[in-house]
Amino acid sequence: MKTQKSMKIIVVGLGYIGLPTASMLATKGLHVVGVDVNSTAVGTINQGNIHIVEPDLDILVKSAVHSGNLRASTEVEEGDVFILAVPTPFQDGGQGGEKIPDLSFVETATKNIAPFVRSGNLIILESTSPVGTTEKVRDIILANRSDLTAADFFVAHCPERVLPGHIIRELVDNDRIIGGIDRRSAEKAKELYKTFCNGSIYLTDSRTAELAKLVENSYRDVNIAFANELSLICDKLGVNVWELIELANKHPRVNILQPGPGVGGHCIAVDPWFIVAAAPEESKLIATARMVNDGKPLWVIDKVKEKAARFKEPVIGCLGLAFKANIDDLRESPAMAITRKMIKMQVGRVMACEPNINGNNFDEFPLYGLQDVIRQADIVLVLVDHDEFKDIDSELFKEKVVIDTRGLWT
Ligand code: SAJ
């Protein structure tokens, strides 16, 4: 049996999860090869640089590459452990209009590693996945390797749980769940994660681990939907939703989340659909929550249209485009969807401000500085609670119509 330090780990997918995990393992002294189809990203990483924005990731990658323990490549090779950290997006196609999971990246990655799997290897699926995907990974390997039996290699699911913006800290501190295809697989995966994870590591079977991850994000989605629904009710009844929530949360067993312009990102807006697609009849609450959250951007646009009707040539200042505060990630961002749609519908002249994005690297529509937007806008629409927006002098927007979807100034 090899010692941890002499083991070679192949990490497939060098995105927000794969790259931090690969770098963390490398800085703990393990030999890591990161594999990605994006040759530009591979080149960037091999120079010790990064292609994504995440606090402190640059330092970690630099030290991993300079230690000689992390190397990036576009080609898979033999190793002792394979970690799959590829995207699992969704696509339209459910019979009831629901979204269904797109497992093509996991399937392709598994087929790519299949020729390199040797007896005794461990394969870990990190990607958030529908129930049964870990078993599918095993079956794809077996279908591509008639010389191997299921007893020859180990397969486990270790879902990532890190919060974008805090990935490095949470990678080390968060508890982990590991679900093995069998007990031995889970135990082997635990040995590996123990090299960098300070949190507790809980072992279970692969299907429970898969569902636990989906449930965590669905729990948050349902709770945000409750807050978003309250914001609609409060608007109708003339009650300040932020004050309402603050007061209700004084109850020892109440903890309502915050309403917003909708739910974005590539996790919470996606993962609940994996449960709905698998058990549509049984997951009515989860599906409804998704629809409440997905309906919020349209509600915000209607609010803006209602106010804009008062002006002959309304100027609408959109504050923030990212899917949440203090990041530059635009994936599934409700702020982006709202801004884009208002431009398309010609609700008025839209001036967007996103302090975390350099306007020179963004060509979909022009970006403006904060002061310009506030000065020129008739309607100021707060879409993201970035720190930069928090301390604006309230005198500046005294005469303006303010629609604050994040409760930043209320
Ligand atoms: N949001 C609200 N109101 C709130 C909280 C969030 O409107 O009270 C919105 C945010 O603005 C954003 C969206 O929800 O648009 C999601 O943001 P988030 O911070 O709740 O979560 P993510 O998507 O950045 O990360 C989540 C995390 N999951 C949970 O907290 C249960 C993270 O731990 C997971 O690892 C990640 O999904 C993932 O990759 O699955």
Side-chain angles (χ1 to χ4, degrees):
M1 168 86 184
K2 283 190 175 180
T3 59
Q4 294 280 349
K5 291 256 158 108
S6 63
M7 286 202 320
K8 183 167 148 193
I9 319 290
I10 312 294
V11 179
V12 183
L14 293 174
Y16 285 88
I17 303 302
L19 183 56
T21 305
S23 310
M24 193 64 85
L25 287 164
T27 56
K28 296 292 171 189
L30 286 84
H31 300 290
V32 184
V33 180
V35 181
D36 203 287
V37 287
N38 180 345
S39 54
T40 315
V42 164
T44 306
I45 293 163
N46 279 332
Q47 285 167 2
N49 298 319
I50 56 174
H51 60 296
I52 48 182
V53 175
E54 175 62 34
D56 301 331
L57 181 61
D58 51 346
I59 302 164
L60 186 69
V61 170
K62 203 171 268 331
S63 107
V65 171
H66 288 167
S67 71
N69 287 336
L70 175 64
R71 160 169 70 82
S73 168
T74 53
E75 302 293 332
V76 179
E77 56 192 81
E78 284 193 342
D80 299 292
V81 180
F82 295 87
I83 298 179
L84 306 180
V86 293
T88 44
F90 60 5
Q91 56 192 1
D92 290 328
Q95 288 179 346
E98 73 273 10
K99 319 267 188 183
I100 54 170
D102 171 4
L103 287 182
S104 57
F105 295 99
V106 172
E107 286 163 2
T108 304
T110 310
K111 282 181 194 150
N112 287 343
I113 64 166
F116 299 95
V117 173
R118 292 173 310 193
S119 190
N121 278 179
L122 167 66
I123 299 155
I124 298 170
L125 176 67
E126 276 237 11
S127 317
T128 304
S129 299
V131 174
T133 310
T134 311
E135 292 159 339
K136 202 175 242 172
V137 166
R138 174 200 56 202
D139 295 344
I140 293 174
I141 303 282
L142 289 174
N144 284 274
R145 291 288 299 272
S146 54
D147 56 324
L148 291 174
T149 70
D152 289 331
F153 58 97
F154 304 94
V155 188
H157 180 47
C158 185
E160 58 87 6
R161 293 172 126 182
V162 288
L163 193 69
H166 303 269
I167 289 181
I168 309 304
R169 180 175 53 76
E170 291 209 352
L171 206 52
V172 174
D173 291 344
N174 286 4
D175 293 347
R176 301 287 296 235
I177 296 173
I178 298 183
I181 223 95
D182 49 38
R183 189 72 189 176
R184 193 75 193 94
S185 294
E187 281 163 358
K188 284 197 118 218
K190 181 176 180 177
E191 285 308 306
L192 181 70
Y193 282 85
K194 263 171 43 184
T195 56
F196 68 84
C197 175
N198 289 342
S200 302
I201 300 178
Y202 300 97
L203 302 190
T204 182
D205 60 88
S206 61
R207 295 175 79 88
T208 306
E210 287 159 345
L211 191 54
K213 170 61 201 253
L214 300 179
V215 162
E216 289 160 19
N217 280 354
S218 301
Y219 171 85
R220 195 150 167 89
D221 198 44
V222 168
N223 282 282
I224 299 170
F226 182 72
N228 276 332
E229 187 162 292
L230 287 182
S231 72
L232 309 195
I233 295 168
C234 284
D235 186 70
K236 192 164 210 165
L237 303 183
V239 171
N240 179 328
V241 68
W242 315 102
E243 187 189 356
L244 172 89
I245 291 174
E246 197 183 330
L247 293 174
N249 282 349
K250 303 285 182 203
H251 186 288
R253 283 175 298 281
V254 174
N255 186 13
I256 304 169
L257 294 179
Q258 299 298 302
V263 168
H266 37 103
C267 310
I268 294 193
V270 176
D271 301 349
W273 288 119
F274 294 3
I275 299 180
V276 178
E281 282 305 311
E282 295 75 15
S283 45
K284 293 199 175 67
L285 176 65
I286 296 173
T288 305
R290 268 297 57 244
M291 283 175 218
V292 168
N293 287 333
D294 275 355
K296 191 73 193 286
L298 290 177
W299 184 88
V300 172
I301 292 172
D302 282 345
K303 278 274 142 213
V304 177
K305 277 166 67 183
E306 191 187 305
K307 303 285 185 200
R310 294 189 203 160
F311 298 89
K312 209 159 146 236
E313 286 169 359
V315 178
I316 301 151
C318 293
L319 300 193
L321 293 174
F323 86 81
K324 63 177 185 177
N326 304 323
I327 59 168
D328 69 338
D329 196 337
L330 301 179
R331 285 179 293 175
E332 306 285 335
S333 168
M336 189 68 188
I338 290 168
T339 306
R340 202 177 260 150
K341 198 149 191 154
M342 286 195 311
I343 292 172
K344 198 163 166 215
M345 292 166 81
Q346 300 181 336
V347 179
R349 180 172 165 239
V350 173
M351 293 180 76
C353 168
E354 176 43 78
N356 297 303
I357 291 181
N358 180 340
N360 297 329
N361 304 330
F362 183 85
D363 52 16
E364 190 173 333
F365 44 79
L367 296 182
Y368 298 87
L370 182 56
Q371 297 301 331
D372 268 359
V373 173
I374 301 272
R375 207 173 307 117
Q376 294 187 48
D378 301 304
I379 299 171
V380 178
L381 174 62
V382 182
L383 292 170
V384 189
D385 44 343
H386 288 316
D387 286 347
E388 287 86 346
F389 305 154
K390 285 187 179 152
D391 305 322
I392 300 173
D393 180 2
S394 58
E395 279 297 304
L396 287 174
F397 49 82
K398 200 167 74 195
E399 307 289 317
K400 320 265 177 188
V401 175
V402 173
I403 303 175
D404 184 355
T405 70
R406 295 282 185 177
L408 200 64
W409 302 333
T410 43

